[in-house]
């Protein structure tokens, strides 16, 4: 018997899950399958089990968890408009917004202006209006690097942006923990470009959960997909 | 001699002004002209002079001022991504973001959920993901109405969104006042859909500037364009 694991962008919302499942059944896939999503396979890649909480911060963000009984919950992951709080996009955009506030004189200028303008080869904040009309979400998310650099150089505005992002992700993790009544032994794993590139961001999440094990996902998410498919095969006997 | 007044979307940024002026001269307009923008004509419509400060809050927002010596300054007006703080879009989007936080359990549910969902005929916050992918900025800005209604019914989250918007606009006004060294006698005028529709928002701006005259623009902005063109005609003799 064959096993198959399907991945989609639906990110754990029940309505979407039902729709994708309906399409899969209509197609009549000739194998057994589990319909899952990138947060779940990264969770399994990070914990080695299907139980735990994962916080992903890349261009977007999401927190997803699953308990011992198989119940799942998520927080965030609503997309860049409704709220990918704590994502690279969120951090980069808040950096840009601080720059234009400084350019107006609405707040004192800091190191954040040269850090961000240098990264994108601009010479004046006024050029940002044209720049932002041409870029995509991932290019805004890449500016998170400049915000982290300014923060590490002691820039208070940049530090506040990073702290806000970290608090938002911690709030989402805490919400998922409460909804699933996860015990203290449950692992929290972190994934996505921002966590992978910024050790200080991993550290700040560890500081939010001093009594829990918080680690970076070391394996590729695809490894989690293989583990789930293996479990499916084993459960088939 | 003919006089002409040109209006554009450049909103007072020097680079854009130079570009539009260059185009106008290249075309070789057969009349005398002043190149201006919607914030300036609304300022003149509101004050009857070219001196003062105008705060506009519609779908977007901007604060613009001009002093006795003809020097101009602006704050905000960077567009919906970089920062139209205090605009209808800003208020509506913050309302939506609060709704999805409540849906996740990241904050306690309030009246804001039924107010916003009812306005756009949805039954669940999950439907917002699809909804927001299809609407334009003005449809998000229209949700400001629901946020004001919830605030007036005592919803603390909605009240905080409105207060934040009002503080942001007041900060922009204060920044322009400082940059132009405007005396206490200088008028502050308000325009745009949010101010025109929400008396409480006008009141909150008046509360921020108790020692200054803060009024809603009563005339159509086009009236300001006529006044400027008239002044140009008079100055020609």
């Amino acid at each position: 018997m064959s096993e198959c694991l399907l991945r989609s962008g639906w990110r754990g919302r029940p309505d979407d899950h039902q729709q994708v499942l309906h399409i899969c059944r209509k197609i009549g896939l000739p194998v057994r399958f589990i319909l899952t999503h990138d947060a779940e396979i990264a969770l399994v890649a990070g914990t080695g089990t299907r139980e735990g909480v994962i916080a992903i911060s890349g261009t977007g963000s999401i927190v997803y968890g699953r308990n011992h009984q198989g119940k799942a919950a998520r927080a965030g992951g609503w997309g860049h408009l409704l709220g990918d709080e704590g994502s690279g996009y969120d951090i980069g955009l808040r950096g840009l917004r601080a720059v234009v506030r400084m350019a107006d004189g609405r707040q004192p200028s800091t190191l954040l202006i040269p850090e961000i303008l240098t990264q994108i080869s601009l010479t004046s904040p006024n050029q940002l209006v044209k720049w932002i009309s041409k870029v995509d979400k991932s290019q805004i998310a890449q500016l998170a690097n400049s915000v982290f650099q300014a923060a590490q150089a002691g820039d208070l505005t940049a530090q506040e942006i990073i702290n806000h992002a970290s608090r938002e992700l911690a709030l989402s993790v805490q919400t998922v923990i409460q909804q699933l009544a996860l015990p203290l032994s449950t692992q929290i794993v972190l994934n996505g470009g921002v966590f992978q590139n910024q050790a200080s961001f991993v550290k700040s999440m560890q500081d939010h959960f001093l009594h829990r094990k918080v680690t970076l996902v070391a394996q590729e998410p695809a490894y989690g997909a293989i583990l789930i498919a293996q479990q499916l095969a084993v459960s088939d006997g």
Side-chain angles (χ1 to χ4, degrees), chain A:
Chain A
M1 185 179 281
S2 307
E3 283 77 28
C4 167
L5 191 91
L6 302 174
R7 221 203 111 210
S8 79
W10 64 277
R11 300 210 139 170
R13 237 162 248 108
D15 294 2
D16 302 340
H17 184 91
Q18 283 308 315
Q19 276 187 27
V20 179
L21 207 57
H22 178 73
I23 294 166
C24 292
R25 285 180 178 144
K26 215 166 170 181
I27 297 167
L29 289 171
V31 292
R32 276 178 55 89
F33 65 88
I34 292 177
L35 180 61
T36 184
H37 50 88
D38 45 3
E40 186 165 23
I41 63 173
L43 171 66
V44 176
T47 62
T49 74
R50 293 185 77 180
E51 192 190 342
V53 183
I54 185 160
I56 300 177
S57 173
T59 296
S61 71
I62 190 168
V63 171
Y64 173 81
R66 205 164 181 275
N67 69 11
H68 190 62
Q69 293 79 35
K71 189 184 165 200
R74 40 148 286 283
W78 291 85
H80 71 293
L81 282 175
L82 291 174
D84 268 345
E85 290 93 343
S87 66
Y89 179 87
D90 183 32
I91 295 169
L93 191 61
R94 283 175 192 269
L96 286 170
R97 286 180 175 168
V99 166
V100 305
R101 293 174 79 88
M102 292 171 190
D104 282 350
R106 281 183 279 161
Q107 69 177 75
S109 286
T110 73
L111 189 59
L112 206 49
I113 296 186
E115 281 287 354
I116 285 185
L117 293 185
T118 303
Q119 186 182 336
I120 52 181
S121 306
L122 296 183
T123 53
S124 155
N126 283 322
Q127 297 169 315
L128 287 171
V129 177
K130 197 171 172 186
W131 180 84
I132 208 160
S133 72
K134 292 179 176 178
V135 298
D136 61 21
K137 283 180 286 180
S138 71
Q139 286 167 283
I140 293 171
Q142 280 160 22
L143 295 181
N145 292 327
S146 289
V147 181
F148 275 99
Q149 267 189 294
Q152 276 144 26
D155 188 301
L156 294 178
T157 302
Q159 286 171 357
E160 180 41 43
I161 292 170
I162 305 291
N163 291 341
H164 178 266
S166 178
R167 279 196 306 274
E168 285 291 329
L169 286 168
L171 172 64
S172 286
V173 169
Q174 193 53 49
T175 303
V176 167
I177 285 174
Q178 280 170 357
Q179 287 184 354
L180 300 176
L182 294 171
L184 263 183
S185 60
T186 309
Q187 289 185 69
I188 300 172
V189 292
L190 311 174
N191 202 23
V194 182
F195 283 124
Q196 295 291 348
N197 296 328
Q198 307 293 343
S200 66
F201 206 48
V202 173
K203 174 74 170 57
S204 73
M205 287 298 280
Q206 288 165 335
D207 291 344
H208 279 293
F209 298 97
L210 288 172
H211 302 294
R212 290 179 181 269
K213 193 178 166 196
V214 181
T215 53
L216 199 58
V217 175
Q219 305 277 358
E220 282 295 309
Y223 175 73
I226 295 166
L227 284 185
I228 298 175
Q230 274 181 340
Q231 286 168 11
L232 180 62
V234 169
S235 72
D236 282 351

PDB file of all heavy atoms in Angstrom, chain A residues 2-28:
ATOM      1  N   SER A   2       0.471   2.264  -0.802  1.00  0.00           N
ATOM      2  CA  SER A   2       1.241   3.521  -0.872  1.00  0.00           C
ATOM      3  C   SER A   2       0.714   4.531   0.148  1.00  0.00           C
ATOM      4  O   SER A   2      -0.467   4.526   0.480  1.00  0.00           O
ATOM      5  CB  SER A   2       1.095   4.140  -2.262  1.00  0.00           C
ATOM      6  OG  SER A   2       1.434   3.208  -3.252  1.00  0.00           O
ATOM      7  N   GLU A   3       1.623   5.371   0.610  1.00  0.00           N
ATOM      8  CA  GLU A   3       1.231   6.474   1.490  1.00  0.00           C
ATOM      9  C   GLU A   3       1.644   7.802   0.865  1.00  0.00           C
ATOM     10  O   GLU A   3       2.626   7.876   0.145  1.00  0.00           O
ATOM     11  CB  GLU A   3       1.885   6.367   2.881  1.00  0.00           C
ATOM     12  CG  GLU A   3       1.233   5.350   3.769  1.00  0.00           C
ATOM     13  CD  GLU A   3       1.635   3.919   3.400  1.00  0.00           C
ATOM     14  OE1 GLU A   3       2.754   3.743   2.868  1.00  0.00           O
ATOM     15  OE2 GLU A   3       0.828   3.021   3.616  1.00  0.00           O
ATOM     16  N   CYS A   4       0.915   8.824   1.179  1.00  0.00           N
ATOM     17  CA  CYS A   4       1.178  10.113   0.548  1.00  0.00           C
ATOM     18  C   CYS A   4       0.842  11.224   1.530  1.00  0.00           C
ATOM     19  O   CYS A   4      -0.077  11.106   2.328  1.00  0.00           O
ATOM     20  CB  CYS A   4       0.285  10.212  -0.694  1.00  0.00           C
ATOM     21  SG  CYS A   4       0.186  11.831  -1.395  1.00  0.00           S
ATOM     22  N   LEU A   5       1.632  12.276   1.478  1.00  0.00           N
ATOM     23  CA  LEU A   5       1.398  13.397   2.373  1.00  0.00           C
ATOM     24  C   LEU A   5       1.201  14.655   1.533  1.00  0.00           C
ATOM     25  O   LEU A   5       2.052  15.005   0.729  1.00  0.00           O
ATOM     26  CB  LEU A   5       2.611  13.554   3.290  1.00  0.00           C
ATOM     27  CG  LEU A   5       2.368  14.516   4.428  1.00  0.00           C
ATOM     28  CD1 LEU A   5       1.832  13.748   5.621  1.00  0.00           C
ATOM     29  CD2 LEU A   5       3.610  15.249   4.765  1.00  0.00           C
ATOM     30  N   LEU A   6       0.070  15.311   1.708  1.00  0.00           N
ATOM     31  CA  LEU A   6      -0.204  16.511   0.924  1.00  0.00           C
ATOM     32  C   LEU A   6       0.019  17.750   1.775  1.00  0.00           C
ATOM     33  O   LEU A   6      -0.373  17.801   2.930  1.00  0.00           O
ATOM     34  CB  LEU A   6      -1.648  16.496   0.429  1.00  0.00           C
ATOM     35  CG  LEU A   6      -2.028  15.292  -0.410  1.00  0.00           C
ATOM     36  CD1 LEU A   6      -3.511  15.332  -0.716  1.00  0.00           C
ATOM     37  CD2 LEU A   6      -1.226  15.288  -1.704  1.00  0.00           C
ATOM     38  N   ARG A   7       0.615  18.737   1.166  1.00  0.00           N
ATOM     39  CA  ARG A   7       0.950  19.970   1.842  1.00  0.00           C
ATOM     40  C   ARG A   7       0.224  21.096   1.130  1.00  0.00           C
ATOM     41  O   ARG A   7       0.158  21.098  -0.089  1.00  0.00           O
ATOM     42  CB  ARG A   7       2.445  20.185   1.631  1.00  0.00           C
ATOM     43  CG  ARG A   7       3.217  20.681   2.765  1.00  0.00           C
ATOM     44  CD  ARG A   7       4.460  21.347   2.240  1.00  0.00           C
ATOM     45  NE  ARG A   7       4.292  22.750   2.516  1.00  0.00           N
ATOM     46  CZ  ARG A   7       4.806  23.703   1.786  1.00  0.00           C
ATOM     47  NH1 ARG A   7       5.480  23.432   0.730  1.00  0.00           N
ATOM     48  NH2 ARG A   7       4.604  24.948   2.120  1.00  0.00           N
ATOM     49  N   SER A   8      -0.325  22.008   1.862  1.00  0.00           N
ATOM     50  CA  SER A   8      -0.983  23.138   1.192  1.00  0.00           C
ATOM     51  C   SER A   8      -0.764  24.408   1.985  1.00  0.00           C
ATOM     52  O   SER A   8      -0.182  24.393   3.051  1.00  0.00           O
ATOM     53  CB  SER A   8      -2.470  22.864   1.049  1.00  0.00           C
ATOM     54  OG  SER A   8      -3.109  23.118   2.280  1.00  0.00           O
ATOM     55  N   GLY A   9      -1.248  25.527   1.455  1.00  0.00           N
ATOM     56  CA  GLY A   9      -1.064  26.807   2.119  1.00  0.00           C
ATOM     57  C   GLY A   9      -2.216  27.152   3.057  1.00  0.00           C
ATOM     58  O   GLY A   9      -2.322  28.272   3.510  1.00  0.00           O
ATOM     59  N   TRP A  10      -3.075  26.188   3.386  1.00  0.00           N
ATOM     60  CA  TRP A  10      -4.290  26.545   4.139  1.00  0.00           C
ATOM     61  C   TRP A  10      -4.025  26.850   5.608  1.00  0.00           C
ATOM     62  O   TRP A  10      -4.804  27.512   6.261  1.00  0.00           O
ATOM     63  CB  TRP A  10      -5.347  25.435   4.006  1.00  0.00           C
ATOM     64  CG  TRP A  10      -4.908  24.148   4.615  1.00  0.00           C
ATOM     65  CD1 TRP A  10      -4.123  23.216   4.025  1.00  0.00           C
ATOM     66  CD2 TRP A  10      -5.189  23.659   5.920  1.00  0.00           C
ATOM     67  NE1 TRP A  10      -3.895  22.174   4.885  1.00  0.00           N
ATOM     68  CE2 TRP A  10      -4.546  22.414   6.055  1.00  0.00           C
ATOM     69  CE3 TRP A  10      -5.947  24.138   6.994  1.00  0.00           C
ATOM     70  CZ2 TRP A  10      -4.618  21.656   7.217  1.00  0.00           C
ATOM     71  CZ3 TRP A  10      -6.027  23.387   8.146  1.00  0.00           C
ATOM     72  CH2 TRP A  10      -5.357  22.163   8.259  1.00  0.00           C
ATOM     73  N   ARG A  11      -2.930  26.349   6.158  1.00  0.00           N
ATOM     74  CA  ARG A  11      -2.467  26.722   7.493  1.00  0.00           C
ATOM     75  C   ARG A  11      -3.461  26.499   8.631  1.00  0.00           C
ATOM     76  O   ARG A  11      -3.592  27.319   9.544  1.00  0.00           O
ATOM     77  CB  ARG A  11      -2.027  28.173   7.510  1.00  0.00           C
ATOM     78  CG  ARG A  11      -0.900  28.427   6.537  1.00  0.00           C
ATOM     79  CD  ARG A  11      -0.016  29.528   7.002  1.00  0.00           C
ATOM     80  NE  ARG A  11       1.378  29.234   6.773  1.00  0.00           N
ATOM     81  CZ  ARG A  11       2.357  30.109   6.907  1.00  0.00           C
ATOM     82  NH1 ARG A  11       2.096  31.332   7.267  1.00  0.00           N
ATOM     83  NH2 ARG A  11       3.594  29.750   6.715  1.00  0.00           N
ATOM     84  N   GLY A  12      -4.180  25.405   8.524  1.00  0.00           N
ATOM     85  CA  GLY A  12      -4.924  24.954   9.692  1.00  0.00           C
ATOM     86  C   GLY A  12      -6.267  25.604   9.970  1.00  0.00           C
ATOM     87  O   GLY A  12      -6.799  25.469  11.057  1.00  0.00           O
ATOM     88  N   ARG A  13      -6.826  26.338   9.005  1.00  0.00           N
ATOM     89  CA  ARG A  13      -8.167  26.883   9.231  1.00  0.00           C
ATOM     90  C   ARG A  13      -9.191  25.849   8.756  1.00  0.00           C
ATOM     91  O   ARG A  13      -9.076  25.335   7.640  1.00  0.00           O
ATOM     92  CB  ARG A  13      -8.322  28.211   8.488  1.00  0.00           C
ATOM     93  CG  ARG A  13      -8.695  29.327   9.408  1.00  0.00           C
ATOM     94  CD  ARG A  13      -8.460  30.695   8.838  1.00  0.00           C
ATOM     95  NE  ARG A  13      -7.401  31.355   9.542  1.00  0.00           N
ATOM     96  CZ  ARG A  13      -6.193  31.583   9.074  1.00  0.00           C
ATOM     97  NH1 ARG A  13      -5.902  31.245   7.860  1.00  0.00           N
ATOM     98  NH2 ARG A  13      -5.288  32.155   9.812  1.00  0.00           N
ATOM     99  N   PRO A  14     -10.189  25.492   9.601  1.00  0.00           N
ATOM    100  CA  PRO A  14     -11.086  24.375   9.288  1.00  0.00           C
ATOM    101  C   PRO A  14     -11.803  24.491   7.942  1.00  0.00           C
ATOM    102  O   PRO A  14     -11.892  23.517   7.207  1.00  0.00           O
ATOM    103  CB  PRO A  14     -12.092  24.399  10.437  1.00  0.00           C
ATOM    104  CG  PRO A  14     -11.416  25.118  11.556  1.00  0.00           C
ATOM    105  CD  PRO A  14     -10.506  26.110  10.900  1.00  0.00           C
ATOM    106  N   ASP A  15     -12.282  25.679   7.568  1.00  0.00           N
ATOM    107  CA  ASP A  15     -13.011  25.856   6.306  1.00  0.00           C
ATOM    108  C   ASP A  15     -12.146  25.436   5.118  1.00  0.00           C
ATOM    109  O   ASP A  15     -12.578  24.710   4.221  1.00  0.00           O
ATOM    110  CB  ASP A  15     -13.406  27.331   6.090  1.00  0.00           C
ATOM    111  CG  ASP A  15     -14.419  27.800   7.114  1.00  0.00           C
ATOM    112  OD1 ASP A  15     -14.777  26.980   7.995  1.00  0.00           O
ATOM    113  OD2 ASP A  15     -14.827  28.962   7.046  1.00  0.00           O
ATOM    114  N   ASP A  16     -10.886  25.931   5.139  1.00  0.00           N
ATOM    115  CA  ASP A  16      -9.969  25.644   4.045  1.00  0.00           C
ATOM    116  C   ASP A  16      -9.652  24.152   4.009  1.00  0.00           C
ATOM    117  O   ASP A  16      -9.576  23.545   2.942  1.00  0.00           O
ATOM    118  CB  ASP A  16      -8.665  26.432   4.225  1.00  0.00           C
ATOM    119  CG  ASP A  16      -8.915  27.928   4.302  1.00  0.00           C
ATOM    120  OD1 ASP A  16      -9.994  28.351   3.850  1.00  0.00           O
ATOM    121  OD2 ASP A  16      -8.053  28.652   4.811  1.00  0.00           O
ATOM    122  N   HIS A  17      -9.449  23.573   5.193  1.00  0.00           N
ATOM    123  CA  HIS A  17      -9.139  22.149   5.286  1.00  0.00           C
ATOM    124  C   HIS A  17     -10.239  21.328   4.601  1.00  0.00           C
ATOM    125  O   HIS A  17      -9.959  20.445   3.786  1.00  0.00           O
ATOM    126  CB  HIS A  17      -9.021  21.749   6.754  1.00  0.00           C
ATOM    127  CG  HIS A  17      -8.599  20.326   6.955  1.00  0.00           C
ATOM    128  ND1 HIS A  17      -7.281  19.961   7.082  1.00  0.00           N
ATOM    129  CD2 HIS A  17      -9.310  19.182   7.029  1.00  0.00           C
ATOM    130  CE1 HIS A  17      -7.206  18.653   7.229  1.00  0.00           C
ATOM    131  NE2 HIS A  17      -8.428  18.156   7.208  1.00  0.00           N
ATOM    132  N   GLN A  18     -11.484  21.637   4.909  1.00  0.00           N
ATOM    133  CA  GLN A  18     -12.616  20.918   4.322  1.00  0.00           C
ATOM    134  C   GLN A  18     -12.625  21.048   2.803  1.00  0.00           C
ATOM    135  O   GLN A  18     -12.860  20.084   2.087  1.00  0.00           O
ATOM    136  CB  GLN A  18     -13.948  21.448   4.903  1.00  0.00           C
ATOM    137  CG  GLN A  18     -14.248  20.945   6.317  1.00  0.00           C
ATOM    138  CD  GLN A  18     -14.169  19.429   6.437  1.00  0.00           C
ATOM    139  OE1 GLN A  18     -14.680  18.697   5.595  1.00  0.00           O
ATOM    140  NE2 GLN A  18     -13.488  18.928   7.471  1.00  0.00           N
ATOM    141  N   GLN A  19     -12.342  22.262   2.315  1.00  0.00           N
ATOM    142  CA  GLN A  19     -12.353  22.489   0.862  1.00  0.00           C
ATOM    143  C   GLN A  19     -11.281  21.671   0.149  1.00  0.00           C
ATOM    144  O   GLN A  19     -11.550  21.044  -0.868  1.00  0.00           O
ATOM    145  CB  GLN A  19     -12.123  23.974   0.558  1.00  0.00           C
ATOM    146  CG  GLN A  19     -13.406  24.776   0.635  1.00  0.00           C
ATOM    147  CD  GLN A  19     -13.201  26.206   0.157  1.00  0.00           C
ATOM    148  OE1 GLN A  19     -12.328  26.471  -0.651  1.00  0.00           O
ATOM    149  NE2 GLN A  19     -14.012  27.111   0.653  1.00  0.00           N
ATOM    150  N   VAL A  20     -10.053  21.698   0.713  1.00  0.00           N
ATOM    151  CA  VAL A  20      -8.944  20.977   0.071  1.00  0.00           C
ATOM    152  C   VAL A  20      -9.216  19.475   0.125  1.00  0.00           C
ATOM    153  O   VAL A  20      -9.006  18.751  -0.854  1.00  0.00           O
ATOM    154  CB  VAL A  20      -7.584  21.328   0.736  1.00  0.00           C
ATOM    155  CG1 VAL A  20      -6.441  20.555   0.070  1.00  0.00           C
ATOM    156  CG2 VAL A  20      -7.302  22.827   0.631  1.00  0.00           C
ATOM    157  N   LEU A  21      -9.738  19.020   1.265  1.00  0.00           N
ATOM    158  CA  LEU A  21     -10.061  17.597   1.433  1.00  0.00           C
ATOM    159  C   LEU A  21     -11.097  17.162   0.381  1.00  0.00           C
ATOM    160  O   LEU A  21     -10.993  16.090  -0.228  1.00  0.00           O
ATOM    161  CB  LEU A  21     -10.617  17.377   2.845  1.00  0.00           C
ATOM    162  CG  LEU A  21     -10.433  15.989   3.473  1.00  0.00           C
ATOM    163  CD1 LEU A  21      -8.951  15.625   3.523  1.00  0.00           C
ATOM    164  CD2 LEU A  21     -11.017  15.966   4.880  1.00  0.00           C
ATOM    165  N   HIS A  22     -12.086  18.002   0.158  1.00  0.00           N
ATOM    166  CA  HIS A  22     -13.147  17.737  -0.808  1.00  0.00           C
ATOM    167  C   HIS A  22     -12.542  17.564  -2.213  1.00  0.00           C
ATOM    168  O   HIS A  22     -12.882  16.638  -2.950  1.00  0.00           O
ATOM    169  CB  HIS A  22     -14.150  18.889  -0.787  1.00  0.00           C
ATOM    170  CG  HIS A  22     -15.271  18.722  -1.783  1.00  0.00           C
ATOM    171  ND1 HIS A  22     -16.281  17.812  -1.601  1.00  0.00           N
ATOM    172  CD2 HIS A  22     -15.510  19.339  -2.959  1.00  0.00           C
ATOM    173  CE1 HIS A  22     -17.108  17.882  -2.643  1.00  0.00           C
ATOM    174  NE2 HIS A  22     -16.662  18.806  -3.476  1.00  0.00           N
ATOM    175  N   ILE A  23     -11.613  18.472  -2.565  1.00  0.00           N
ATOM    176  CA  ILE A  23     -10.959  18.405  -3.882  1.00  0.00           C
ATOM    177  C   ILE A  23     -10.159  17.109  -4.004  1.00  0.00           C
ATOM    178  O   ILE A  23     -10.254  16.399  -5.013  1.00  0.00           O
ATOM    179  CB  ILE A  23     -10.026  19.629  -4.093  1.00  0.00           C
ATOM    180  CG1 ILE A  23     -10.865  20.915  -4.167  1.00  0.00           C
ATOM    181  CG2 ILE A  23      -9.183  19.470  -5.366  1.00  0.00           C
ATOM    182  CD1 ILE A  23     -10.065  22.195  -4.026  1.00  0.00           C
ATOM    183  N   CYS A  24      -9.412  16.763  -2.937  1.00  0.00           N
ATOM    184  CA  CYS A  24      -8.584  15.542  -2.966  1.00  0.00           C
ATOM    185  C   CYS A  24      -9.458  14.307  -3.198  1.00  0.00           C
ATOM    186  O   CYS A  24      -9.102  13.410  -3.965  1.00  0.00           O
ATOM    187  CB  CYS A  24      -7.834  15.377  -1.644  1.00  0.00           C
ATOM    188  SG  CYS A  24      -6.570  16.628  -1.386  1.00  0.00           S
ATOM    189  N   ARG A  25     -10.618  14.272  -2.536  1.00  0.00           N
ATOM    190  CA  ARG A  25     -11.497  13.104  -2.671  1.00  0.00           C
ATOM    191  C   ARG A  25     -12.135  13.054  -4.052  1.00  0.00           C
ATOM    192  O   ARG A  25     -12.349  11.978  -4.609  1.00  0.00           O
ATOM    193  CB  ARG A  25     -12.567  13.135  -1.576  1.00  0.00           C
ATOM    194  CG  ARG A  25     -11.954  12.738  -0.241  1.00  0.00           C
ATOM    195  CD  ARG A  25     -12.949  12.735   0.892  1.00  0.00           C
ATOM    196  NE  ARG A  25     -12.293  12.301   2.115  1.00  0.00           N
ATOM    197  CZ  ARG A  25     -12.566  12.778   3.325  1.00  0.00           C
ATOM    198  NH1 ARG A  25     -13.517  13.684   3.491  1.00  0.00           N
ATOM    199  NH2 ARG A  25     -11.916  12.333   4.376  1.00  0.00           N
ATOM    200  N   LYS A  26     -12.442  14.245  -4.592  1.00  0.00           N
ATOM    201  CA  LYS A  26     -13.048  14.337  -5.913  1.00  0.00           C
ATOM    202  C   LYS A  26     -12.082  13.798  -6.970  1.00  0.00           C
ATOM    203  O   LYS A  26     -12.474  13.073  -7.889  1.00  0.00           O
ATOM    204  CB  LYS A  26     -13.377  15.807  -6.220  1.00  0.00           C
ATOM    205  CG  LYS A  26     -14.653  15.981  -7.032  1.00  0.00           C
ATOM    206  CD  LYS A  26     -15.090  17.420  -6.988  1.00  0.00           C
ATOM    207  CE  LYS A  26     -16.195  17.706  -7.962  1.00  0.00           C
ATOM    208  NZ  LYS A  26     -16.583  19.120  -7.914  1.00  0.00           N
ATOM    209  N   ILE A  27     -10.792  14.194  -6.820  1.00  0.00           N
ATOM    210  CA  ILE A  27      -9.764  13.713  -7.750  1.00  0.00           C
ATOM    211  C   ILE A  27      -9.660  12.186  -7.661  1.00  0.00           C
ATOM    212  O   ILE A  27      -9.347  11.518  -8.642  1.00  0.00           O
ATOM    213  CB  ILE A  27      -8.382  14.350  -7.415  1.00  0.00           C
ATOM    214  CG1 ILE A  27      -8.431  15.867  -7.586  1.00  0.00           C
ATOM    215  CG2 ILE A  27      -7.270  13.770  -8.290  1.00  0.00           C
ATOM    216  CD1 ILE A  27      -7.241  16.607  -6.994  1.00  0.00           C
ATOM    217  N   GLY A  28      -9.947  11.636  -6.473  1.00  0.00           N
ATOM    218  CA  GLY A  28      -9.844  10.189  -6.272  1.00  0.00           C
ATOM    219  C   GLY A  28      -8.403   9.719  -6.270  1.00  0.00           C
ATOM    220  O   GLY A  28      -8.001   8.891  -7.096  1.00  0.00           O
TER     221      GLY A  28
END
